[in-house]
Amino acid sequence: MGKKNLIQVFEYQKLKFDSKENDFTESHFNAMVKFNEKNDNKYYTIIHRGIKFNSYVGVIQINGLTIEILPKVDKDNSNSELQKQTWQNVLLNMLKVCKHINVDNISETALKKRYNSILEVYFEMYLNEIEELIQKGLIKKYRRVQENQLALKGKLVFTKNIQKNTIHKERFYCEHQVYDKDHLTHQILYKGLKILNSFLSSNLKDKLNRILFHFSDFKEVNINSSHFSKIIPNRKTQPYNKAIDIAKMIILNYSPNLNSGNDNMLTLLFDMNKLWEEYVYRILQKHKPKDYYVSPQNSTRFWESKRIKPDIIIKHNDETYIIDTKWKIVSSYKPSDDDLKQMFAYNLFWKAGKSMLLYPKINQEDSIFGSYHHIPNENEVNQCKLGFINIIDENGLRESKNIADEIFEKFMLVF
């Protein structure tokens, strides 16, 4: 994929098809409109002759064009290549920490490699995983087949035998077992490879063609979500887990023939609000001291059938602390009325002394812990604050341990 086939934008930016600055055409626009309508218009907003992106980041590939939507929380509006590379690396690292790039052997150094788009990371991982499986030897499995035969083998299927062999008495429609490589696991991998074949146009294409040669005798099946639930994990299939996970992402996010012009689309989109919440939880969980307990989204009954669930709960000794993550830029240094009411409910229901609304930092400073006038019990505290955390430095995404330590310290937890 050449640079001219890649458009990189930031969340909440606009992209119009009448611009001479990029290769986004009306055909691409129409395909994106159809895709968004099929998904309740949640991924972006349709504007006059274009798209306005929202909190969803990731990548959309329509035939030869790749649109990468990057997160961004800074005041730099230059749209420079350096800025795009920085935030692409931030997104890649967040996806790795949150296990959306579900391979343990990708190092920080490898993630700093300049990929044209996030999809290329997944494509390369997928091909590497399958290449390794081929080198080890693709496994065989027993499977049941029904077919016409010239000899009675296995169990005769009477109904279909009558339907198909009324004239040809010398044939038998039978069901029997076959032990070979053409089973569901490989058919799923093959389907993922075939989808890649319509999107790859880079140096990965040669590797894809070499791998496809090993799958040339396999049956191509229209795979859907139900097929993945039929795979029964065992010792033999364990090496396939990572490849199957990526195949699932590729297949279930593939939208073929959205237009009469055969505009196939492959999407990989993440809600940045949820990604930020999960990222904060995972780094706190990973770097917490031994006597700390960190849990995500505890839910409890609030009113009638309604429930409330704070993003993250921290417990230390007999104290409870609440974090509500917010992925957006704010100019105020005090919580809004709605946020204060929400955090008050959290404090009350979870008997928490302190709660914090946690935002990515630009140039803000934390507010002080303000006290609610309602104190549940004498000698206890009931407080809330705004907290801001730098997630990037001159090297890109900061070390996760440094971010986690700073968040703990915001509650005045020193260890």
Side-chain angles (χ1 to χ4, degrees):
M1 179 179 61
K3 202 67 176 168
K4 67 178 182 178
N5 302 119
L6 172 67
I7 301 172
Q8 287 178 303
V9 296
F10 292 109
E11 51 183 336
Y12 298 104
Q13 281 191 343
K14 297 176 182 178
L15 179 64
K16 295 200 170 188
F17 64 78
D18 54 3
S19 171
K20 295 180 180 179
E21 298 177 359
N22 57 59
D23 295 323
F24 185 55
T25 67
E26 187 172 2
S27 176
H28 297 132
F29 168 76
N30 290 334
M32 288 181 68
V33 170
K34 281 193 175 182
F35 170 76
N36 206 38
E37 287 175 347
K38 287 173 62 177
N39 291 277
D40 299 322
N41 296 304
K42 69 178 182 178
Y43 290 119
Y44 36 78
T45 302
I46 309 303
I47 60 174
H48 180 61
R49 303 176 74 83
I51 304 292
K52 182 179 180 182
F53 298 99
N54 53 28
S55 63
Y56 280 87
V57 299
V59 62
I60 299 169
Q61 189 161 334
I62 314 172
N63 289 340
L65 180 69
T66 300
I67 303 168
E68 189 172 59
I69 309 110
L70 300 172
K72 187 172 83 75
V73 279
D74 61 27
K75 294 290 187 181
D76 183 356
N77 295 317
S78 66
N79 288 329
S80 67
E81 287 302 311
L82 179 60
Q83 188 192 35
K84 290 174 181 177
Q85 185 173 346
T86 296
W87 286 103
Q88 187 191 63
N89 287 335
V90 167
L91 181 54
L92 283 171
N93 274 281
M94 281 188 169
L95 291 173
K96 182 191 174 186
V97 168
C98 297
K99 307 296 183 184
H100 295 297
I101 296 179
N102 197 20
V103 286
D104 299 326
N105 57 358
I106 288 194
S107 65
E108 296 289 329
T109 305
L111 277 176
K112 288 179 181 176
K113 171 184 174 181
R114 182 65 173 129
Y115 289 95
N116 275 329
S117 80
I118 295 165
L119 268 182
E120 281 196 3
V121 181
Y122 285 87
F123 292 167
E124 186 171 344
M125 286 192 306
Y126 188 52
L127 296 179
N128 288 343
E129 287 293 326
I130 298 179
E131 194 172 49
E132 189 174 329
L133 292 171
I134 292 170
Q135 290 169 358
K136 291 178 180 178
L138 298 176
I139 62 172
K140 291 183 177 181
K141 282 186 178 182
Y142 284 104
R143 61 186 178 92
R144 291 188 174 275
V145 297
Q146 290 186 358
E147 59 186 1
N148 253 333
Q149 303 169 150
L150 294 174
L152 182 59
K153 181 182 178 182
K155 181 178 69 174
L156 186 68
V157 184
F158 288 100
T159 305
K160 289 192 175 179
N161 189 60
I162 293 170
Q163 291 175 351
K164 294 180 177 292
N165 298 326
T166 304
I167 298 174
H168 298 283
K169 302 293 185 182
E170 76 283 3
R171 296 178 184 174
F172 303 89
Y173 198 92
C174 301
E175 179 181 282
H176 62 98
Q177 283 192 329
V178 175
Y179 185 64
D180 64 6
K181 298 177 181 178
D182 191 12
H183 47 78
L184 179 60
T185 303
H186 290 152
Q187 289 165 357
I188 287 173
L189 297 184
Y190 182 40
K191 183 63 177 179
L193 291 169
K194 292 290 286 184
I195 291 173
L196 253 63
N197 197 34
S198 63
F199 288 99
L200 280 180
S201 58
S202 65
N203 57 335
L204 295 176
K205 190 78 168 182
D206 290 338
K207 180 183 280 193
L208 172 63
N209 290 333
R210 290 196 303 271
I211 292 172
L212 278 171
F213 175 77
H214 294 272
F215 286 77
S216 56
D217 295 330
F218 292 174
K219 181 169 62 177
E220 186 174 354
V221 178
N222 288 324
I223 303 295
N224 56 48
S225 57
S226 65
H227 288 93
F228 293 93
S229 61
K230 294 177 183 177
I231 297 179
I232 301 172
N234 55 43
R235 180 182 56 81
K236 289 182 71 175
T237 61
Q238 194 276 333
Y240 283 74
N241 289 348
K242 292 175 183 176
I244 290 293
D245 284 345
I246 303 172
K248 184 176 183 179
M249 181 278 295
I250 292 171
I251 294 167
L252 299 187
N253 288 284
Y254 174 62
S255 304
N257 303 325
L258 281 167
N259 278 334
S260 56
N262 200 33
D263 282 320
N264 299 330
M265 181 184 289
L266 185 60
T267 58
L268 186 62
L269 297 168
F270 305 92
D271 187 338
M272 199 59 209
N273 295 297
K274 293 181 180 177
L275 189 63
W276 171 236
E277 174 191 328
E278 185 178 357
Y279 175 75
V280 172
Y281 161 69
R282 286 185 180 273
I283 64 172
L284 292 179
Q285 176 69 20
K286 180 178 180 180
H287 300 293
K288 65 180 175 61
K290 289 183 180 178
D291 57 343
Y292 280 66
Y293 173 79
V294 179
S295 65
Q297 288 206 344
N298 283 255
S299 175
T300 192
R301 289 182 179 275
F302 178 57
W303 179 83
E304 296 294 339
S305 61
K306 291 185 178 295
R307 305 182 72 87
I308 57 172
K309 51 183 180 181
D311 293 342
I312 300 167
I313 294 178
I314 301 171
K315 292 188 177 182
H316 174 54
N317 295 330
D318 295 327
E319 299 294 330
T320 299
Y321 307 90
I322 302 253
I323 296 177
D324 200 57
T325 58
K326 305 285 186 181
W327 181 263
K328 61 181 179 180
I329 299 172
V330 292
S331 55
S332 174
Y333 291 88
K334 292 182 180 180
S336 69
D337 288 351
D338 287 343
D339 284 338
L340 280 171
K341 292 170 186 175
Q342 181 182 18
M343 302 310 282
F344 176 76
Y346 290 159
N347 284 1
L348 198 63
F349 272 75
W350 274 271
K351 298 180 173 61
K354 294 179 179 179
S355 57
M356 176 170 61
L357 296 142
L358 185 65
Y359 295 85
K361 183 176 182 176
I362 298 178
N363 51 18
Q364 309 97 326
E365 296 297 332
D366 290 10
S367 69
I368 62 170
F369 272 110
S371 295
Y372 291 104
H373 289 291
H374 177 275
I375 308 298
N377 294 296
E378 192 177 355
N379 300 323
E380 291 187 358
V381 296
N382 186 5
Q383 298 179 327
C384 177
K385 71 179 282 188
L386 290 188
F388 300 93
I389 191 82
N390 269 327
I391 60 172
I392 60 172
D393 56 23
E394 63 275 5
N395 299 316
L397 184 67
R398 291 174 61 201
E399 290 291 328
S400 60
K401 185 179 187 311
N402 294 338
I403 297 176
D405 288 348
E406 188 178 334
I407 293 172
F408 281 120
E409 289 168 7
K410 289 179 183 297
F411 284 112
M412 302 176 190
L413 304 176
V414 181
F415 40 85

